[in-house]
Structures are given as C-alpha cells and as structure tokens.
C-alpha cells in the first residue's frame, strides 16, 4: 500500500504523465469495488484515502469529504480528521466543520486519545465559532450558502 501512495503522489504531482488523475481515480474506485478490498478495512482505507486526496487535488471537496471520512472511519487518525474539518470549513460549511470536530473524537481508540484529539482541535473549534458569531453579527452568509443560492 505504500507503493499505492507513492504512485498516487507521482500521478497527482504530474510526474507520471501517462496517467491522468481522473484515470487514477477510476482505477481506485474499481479496486475499491472488488470484494477482497471492499471487505477488508485494513486495505480499503488506503484506496478511500487515495480517492480522497486525488479529489482534493482536483478541488472536489465534496468527494474529498466523503472518502476521507470513510478512510477515517476505517482507520481513525487525528491528521485525517483535522484535515477533513479544515477542508469543510474552507468550503464555507462552518456548522458542518464544527459538527465534525464534535463527532470525530468519539472514534478514538480510547478515552485518553479522545481527550488528546479534543485538546488539539479545540483552538480550531473556537476559531470557527468566533467566525460564525462574526458572520451572524454582520449578517454575512457562508460561502457555501452563497454558492447554492446562485444555482437557482
């Protein structure tokens, strides 16, 4: 699986010019659909994470969020969880980011790890709450809400 990550990094960086990121994404999804991959979370999370970071490099935050959360649930780690929160917030979905921050420590391996994750993410949570409060004081809509209202 480290070979998969190296290959993915090369494709996303443009060093593997014969394979486009979209083709790599299709390959990953086909592999993920195989019963031996789909039924084994120790393998599956590698493919889910590769799909997530490939989506992120293509600026598809929705797909990033879906697959990064799947990878996290298969193999919880603080770095993935905090990255998900940051990318949700950057998309302008402040409430969703705060909800994720409140949710992900529940998946920690034990209480000590959960407390550690909470203390590490607390400053981001506080900053998001402050942003949310300032936005409501100024009657500013989140970026995502503005984008969605323009689709109508």
């Amino acid at each position: 699986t480290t070979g998969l990550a190296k290959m993915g990094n090369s494709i996303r960086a443009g060093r593997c010019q014969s394979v486009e990121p979209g083709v790599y994404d299709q390959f990953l999804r086909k592999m993920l659909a195989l019963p031996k991959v789909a039924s084994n979370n120790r393998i599956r999370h590698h493919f889910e994470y590769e799909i997530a970071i490939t989506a992120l490099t293509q600026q598809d935050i929705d797909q990033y969020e879906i697959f990064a959360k799947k990878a996290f649930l298969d193999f919880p780690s603080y770095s993935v969880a905090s990255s998900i929160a940051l990318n949700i917030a950057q998309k302008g979905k402040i409430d969703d980011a705060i909800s994720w921050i409140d949710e992900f420590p529940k998946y920690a391996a034990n209480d000590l790890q959960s407390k550690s994750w909470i203390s590490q993410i607390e400053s981001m949570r506080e900053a998001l709450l402050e942003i949310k409060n300032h936005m409501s004081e100024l009657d500013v809509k989140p970026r995502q809400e503005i984008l969605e209202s323009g689709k109508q």
Side-chain angles (χ1 to χ4, degrees):
T1 54
T2 56
L4 181 66
K6 285 181 183 179
M7 181 173 70
N9 287 336
S10 293
I11 291 168
R12 287 185 294 275
R15 292 189 306 266
C16 188
Q17 296 184 2
S18 61
V19 182
E20 296 290 323
V23 172
Y24 180 58
D25 180 75
Q26 291 174 356
F27 161 76
L28 293 167
R29 290 171 189 263
K30 285 180 182 180
M31 291 298 294
L32 192 56
L34 295 174
K36 287 186 179 185
V37 174
S39 65
N40 187 334
N41 68 329
R42 291 175 183 247
I43 296 171
R44 183 178 60 224
H45 86 275
H46 291 286
F47 288 92
E48 292 164 341
Y49 187 69
E50 281 295 310
I51 292 170
I53 57 176
T54 300
L56 186 59
T57 60
Q58 296 177 320
Q59 298 180 353
D60 186 344
I61 303 302
D62 292 330
Q63 286 295 296
Y64 168 78
E65 182 181 344
I66 290 166
F67 283 93
K69 282 183 176 179
K70 287 180 179 189
F72 171 82
L73 293 174
D74 279 344
F75 195 83
S77 73
Y78 176 80
S79 61
V80 172
S82 61
S83 176
I84 292 168
L86 179 63
N87 281 287
I88 293 171
Q90 285 177 335
K91 189 173 180 186
K93 297 173 10 179
I94 305 298
D95 288 330
D96 291 349
I98 292 168
S99 294
W100 174 247
I101 288 169
D102 292 340
E103 178 185 347
F104 81 77
K106 298 173 188 169
Y107 298 99
N110 55 54
D111 193 47
L112 182 62
Q113 185 180 55
S114 177
K115 288 177 182 178
S116 171
W117 287 1
I118 291 167
S119 75
Q120 290 178 70
I121 200 76
E122 189 59 30
S123 62
M124 183 190 295
R125 186 180 192 286
E126 289 173 8
L128 291 173
L129 286 170
E130 193 171 317
I131 290 167
K132 182 180 172 180
N133 289 337
H134 286 302
M135 289 173 69
S136 66
E137 287 172 8
L138 299 171
D139 196 31
V140 175
K141 294 180 181 178
R143 179 176 180 263
Q144 186 65 23
E145 191 177 316
I146 293 168
L147 293 173
E148 289 172 359
S149 68
K151 292 180 183 176
Q152 299 172 356

